[in-house]
PDB file of all heavy atoms in Angstrom:
ATOM      1  N   LEU A 192     -33.218  41.801-163.693  1.00 93.00           N
ATOM      2  CA  LEU A 192     -34.100  41.874-162.537  1.00 93.00           C
ATOM      3  C   LEU A 192     -33.308  42.324-161.317  1.00 93.00           C
ATOM      4  O   LEU A 192     -32.104  42.084-161.188  1.00 93.00           O
ATOM      5  CB  LEU A 192     -34.780  40.554-162.252  1.00 93.00           C
ATOM      6  CG  LEU A 192     -35.570  39.930-163.377  1.00 93.00           C
ATOM      7  CD1 LEU A 192     -36.197  38.600-162.947  1.00 93.00           C
ATOM      8  CD2 LEU A 192     -36.631  40.875-163.920  1.00 93.00           C
ATOM      9  N   GLY A 193     -34.050  42.937-160.337  1.00 91.00           N
ATOM     10  CA  GLY A 193     -33.458  43.293-159.064  1.00 91.00           C
ATOM     11  C   GLY A 193     -32.264  44.240-159.178  1.00 91.00           C
ATOM     12  O   GLY A 193     -32.278  45.135-160.030  1.00 91.00           O
ATOM     13  N   GLU A 205     -36.013  45.627-165.427  1.00 94.00           N
ATOM     14  CA  GLU A 205     -37.388  45.453-164.941  1.00 94.00           C
ATOM     15  C   GLU A 205     -38.168  46.751-164.875  1.00 94.00           C
ATOM     16  O   GLU A 205     -39.384  46.739-165.000  1.00 94.00           O
ATOM     17  CB  GLU A 205     -37.368  44.772-163.560  1.00 94.00           C
ATOM     18  CG  GLU A 205     -36.716  45.568-162.473  1.00 94.00           C
ATOM     19  CD  GLU A 205     -36.809  44.841-161.088  1.00 94.00           C
ATOM     20  OE1 GLU A 205     -36.745  43.619-161.055  1.00 94.00           O
ATOM     21  OE2 GLU A 205     -36.970  45.572-160.082  1.00 94.00           O
ATOM     22  N   PHE A 208     -40.358  47.123-167.916  1.00 93.00           N
ATOM     23  CA  PHE A 208     -41.338  46.110-168.293  1.00 93.00           C
ATOM     24  C   PHE A 208     -42.750  46.684-168.454  1.00 93.00           C
ATOM     25  O   PHE A 208     -43.536  46.158-169.255  1.00 93.00           O
ATOM     26  CB  PHE A 208     -41.425  45.022-167.206  1.00 93.00           C
ATOM     27  CG  PHE A 208     -40.230  44.103-167.119  1.00 93.00           C
ATOM     28  CD1 PHE A 208     -39.143  44.273-167.939  1.00 93.00           C
ATOM     29  CD2 PHE A 208     -40.228  43.068-166.213  1.00 93.00           C
ATOM     30  CE1 PHE A 208     -38.054  43.407-167.868  1.00 93.00           C
ATOM     31  CE2 PHE A 208     -39.128  42.200-166.135  1.00 93.00           C
ATOM     32  CZ  PHE A 208     -38.052  42.392-166.938  1.00 93.00           C
ATOM     33  N   ARG A 211     -48.382  44.807-165.722  1.00 90.00           N
ATOM     34  CA  ARG A 211     -48.990  43.593-166.304  1.00 90.00           C
ATOM     35  C   ARG A 211     -50.326  43.937-166.909  1.00 90.00           C
ATOM     36  O   ARG A 211     -51.033  44.804-166.397  1.00 90.00           O
ATOM     37  CB  ARG A 211     -49.148  42.497-165.229  1.00 90.00           C
ATOM     38  CG  ARG A 211     -47.845  41.820-164.774  1.00 90.00           C
ATOM     39  CD  ARG A 211     -48.176  40.646-163.846  1.00 90.00           C
ATOM     40  NE  ARG A 211     -46.973  40.008-163.378  1.00 90.00           N
ATOM     41  CZ  ARG A 211     -46.285  39.069-164.025  1.00 90.00           C
ATOM     42  NH1 ARG A 211     -46.733  38.679-165.217  1.00 90.00           N
ATOM     43  NH2 ARG A 211     -45.203  38.546-163.510  1.00 90.00           N
ATOM     44  N   ASP A 221     -44.891  40.359-172.074  1.00 86.00           N
ATOM     45  CA  ASP A 221     -44.582  40.438-170.648  1.00 86.00           C
ATOM     46  C   ASP A 221     -43.171  39.858-170.456  1.00 86.00           C
ATOM     47  O   ASP A 221     -42.953  38.672-170.466  1.00 86.00           O
ATOM     48  CB  ASP A 221     -45.602  39.615-169.842  1.00 86.00           C
ATOM     49  CG  ASP A 221     -45.406  39.789-168.336  1.00 86.00           C
ATOM     50  OD1 ASP A 221     -44.396  40.436-167.938  1.00 86.00           O
ATOM     51  OD2 ASP A 221     -46.223  39.297-167.572  1.00 86.00           O
ATOM     52  N   PHE A 222     -42.216  40.785-170.250  1.00 87.00           N
ATOM     53  CA  PHE A 222     -40.811  40.361-170.136  1.00 87.00           C
ATOM     54  C   PHE A 222     -40.541  39.669-168.805  1.00 87.00           C
ATOM     55  O   PHE A 222     -39.479  39.068-168.660  1.00 87.00           O
ATOM     56  CB  PHE A 222     -39.909  41.567-170.323  1.00 87.00           C
ATOM     57  CG  PHE A 222     -39.670  41.910-171.738  1.00 87.00           C
ATOM     58  CD1 PHE A 222     -40.587  42.744-172.419  1.00 87.00           C
ATOM     59  CD2 PHE A 222     -38.582  41.434-172.422  1.00 87.00           C
ATOM     60  CE1 PHE A 222     -40.370  43.091-173.775  1.00 87.00           C
ATOM     61  CE2 PHE A 222     -38.370  41.743-173.758  1.00 87.00           C
ATOM     62  CZ  PHE A 222     -39.267  42.557-174.430  1.00 87.00           C
ATOM     63  N   ALA A 223     -41.445  39.725-167.848  1.00 83.00           N
ATOM     64  CA  ALA A 223     -41.256  39.027-166.598  1.00 83.00           C
ATOM     65  C   ALA A 223     -41.446  37.520-166.796  1.00 83.00           C
ATOM     66  O   ALA A 223     -40.846  36.698-166.069  1.00 83.00           O
ATOM     67  CB  ALA A 223     -42.193  39.527-165.533  1.00 83.00           C
ATOM     68  N   GLY A 224     -42.271  37.156-167.795  1.00 74.00           N
ATOM     69  CA  GLY A 224     -42.520  35.726-168.007  1.00 74.00           C
ATOM     70  C   GLY A 224     -43.127  35.093-166.757  1.00 74.00           C
ATOM     71  O   GLY A 224     -44.093  35.610-166.207  1.00 74.00           O
ATOM     72  N   ARG A 225     -42.543  33.977-166.347  1.00 71.00           N
ATOM     73  CA  ARG A 225     -43.061  33.292-165.169  1.00 71.00           C
ATOM     74  C   ARG A 225     -42.425  33.759-163.876  1.00 71.00           C
ATOM     75  O   ARG A 225     -42.683  33.235-162.787  1.00 71.00           O
ATOM     76  CB  ARG A 225     -42.819  31.778-165.334  1.00 71.00           C
ATOM     77  CG  ARG A 225     -43.412  31.191-166.615  1.00 71.00           C
ATOM     78  CD  ARG A 225     -43.055  29.715-166.741  1.00 71.00           C
ATOM     79  NE  ARG A 225     -43.599  29.177-167.997  1.00 71.00           N
ATOM     80  CZ  ARG A 225     -42.975  29.110-169.151  1.00 71.00           C
ATOM     81  NH1 ARG A 225     -41.726  29.661-169.208  1.00 71.00           N
ATOM     82  NH2 ARG A 225     -43.486  28.615-170.213  1.00 71.00           N
ATOM     83  N   ARG A 226     -41.552  34.783-163.948  1.00 77.00           N
ATOM     84  CA  ARG A 226     -40.836  35.260-162.791  1.00 77.00           C
ATOM     85  C   ARG A 226     -41.605  36.365-162.090  1.00 77.00           C
ATOM     86  O   ARG A 226     -42.298  37.135-162.713  1.00 77.00           O
ATOM     87  CB  ARG A 226     -39.433  35.748-163.198  1.00 77.00           C
ATOM     88  CG  ARG A 226     -38.572  34.660-163.849  1.00 77.00           C
ATOM     89  CD  ARG A 226     -37.408  35.241-164.595  1.00 77.00           C
ATOM     90  NE  ARG A 226     -37.809  36.079-165.709  1.00 77.00           N
ATOM     91  CZ  ARG A 226     -37.011  36.827-166.420  1.00 77.00           C
ATOM     92  NH1 ARG A 226     -35.723  36.878-166.130  1.00 77.00           N
ATOM     93  NH2 ARG A 226     -37.453  37.559-167.416  1.00 77.00           N
ATOM     94  N   ARG A 227     -41.388  36.475-160.799  1.00 75.00           N
ATOM     95  CA  ARG A 227     -42.064  37.515-160.000  1.00 75.00           C
ATOM     96  C   ARG A 227     -41.239  38.810-160.030  1.00 75.00           C
ATOM     97  O   ARG A 227     -40.044  38.776-159.773  1.00 75.00           O
ATOM     98  CB  ARG A 227     -42.247  37.021-158.577  1.00 75.00           C
ATOM     99  CG  ARG A 227     -43.014  38.007-157.682  1.00 75.00           C
ATOM    100  CD  ARG A 227     -43.080  37.490-156.236  1.00 75.00           C
ATOM    101  NE  ARG A 227     -43.805  36.238-156.205  1.00 75.00           N
ATOM    102  CZ  ARG A 227     -45.145  36.166-156.117  1.00 75.00           C
ATOM    103  NH1 ARG A 227     -45.860  37.286-156.104  1.00 75.00           N
ATOM    104  NH2 ARG A 227     -45.746  34.985-156.057  1.00 75.00           N
ATOM    105  N   VAL A 228     -41.890  39.887-160.341  1.00 78.00           N
ATOM    106  CA  VAL A 228     -41.268  41.212-160.302  1.00 78.00           C
ATOM    107  C   VAL A 228     -42.121  42.108-159.418  1.00 78.00           C
ATOM    108  O   VAL A 228     -43.321  42.284-159.668  1.00 78.00           O
ATOM    109  CB  VAL A 228     -41.126  41.806-161.709  1.00 78.00           C
ATOM    110  CG1 VAL A 228     -40.539  43.227-161.635  1.00 78.00           C
ATOM    111  CG2 VAL A 228     -40.271  40.931-162.592  1.00 78.00           C
ATOM    112  N   ALA A 229     -41.516  42.673-158.378  1.00 72.00           N
ATOM    113  CA  ALA A 229     -42.293  43.462-157.416  1.00 72.00           C
ATOM    114  C   ALA A 229     -42.683  44.827-157.970  1.00 72.00           C
ATOM    115  O   ALA A 229     -42.063  45.380-158.875  1.00 72.00           O
ATOM    116  CB  ALA A 229     -41.407  43.672-156.169  1.00 72.00           C
ATOM    117  N   ASP A 230     -43.789  45.346-157.426  1.00 75.00           N
ATOM    118  CA  ASP A 230     -44.237  46.728-157.651  1.00 75.00           C
ATOM    119  C   ASP A 230     -44.592  47.041-159.116  1.00 75.00           C
ATOM    120  O   ASP A 230     -44.499  48.186-159.555  1.00 75.00           O
ATOM    121  CB  ASP A 230     -43.153  47.747-157.219  1.00 75.00           C
ATOM    122  CG  ASP A 230     -42.802  47.560-155.759  1.00 75.00           C
ATOM    123  OD1 ASP A 230     -43.698  47.248-154.963  1.00 75.00           O
ATOM    124  OD2 ASP A 230     -41.626  47.745-155.394  1.00 75.00           O
ATOM    125  N   ARG A 231     -45.049  46.062-159.862  1.00 82.00           N
ATOM    126  CA  ARG A 231     -45.449  46.318-161.237  1.00 82.00           C
ATOM    127  C   ARG A 231     -46.884  46.759-161.343  1.00 82.00           C
ATOM    128  O   ARG A 231     -47.224  47.645-162.096  1.00 82.00           O
ATOM    129  CB  ARG A 231     -45.229  45.100-162.130  1.00 82.00           C
ATOM    130  CG  ARG A 231     -43.810  44.786-162.460  1.00 82.00           C
ATOM    131  CD  ARG A 231     -43.707  43.652-163.436  1.00 82.00           C
ATOM    132  NE  ARG A 231     -44.235  43.961-164.732  1.00 82.00           N
ATOM    133  CZ  ARG A 231     -44.613  43.085-165.627  1.00 82.00           C
ATOM    134  NH1 ARG A 231     -44.582  41.804-165.371  1.00 82.00           N
ATOM    135  NH2 ARG A 231     -45.079  43.472-166.813  1.00 82.00           N
TER     136      ARG A 231
END
Side-chain angles (χ1 to χ4, degrees):
L192 304 181
E205 63 177 37
F208 288 3
R211 287 188 182 275
D221 187 352
F222 279 85
R225 304 177 182 91
R226 300 163 296 172
R227 183 183 298 275
V228 177
D230 302 325
R231 286 185 69 199

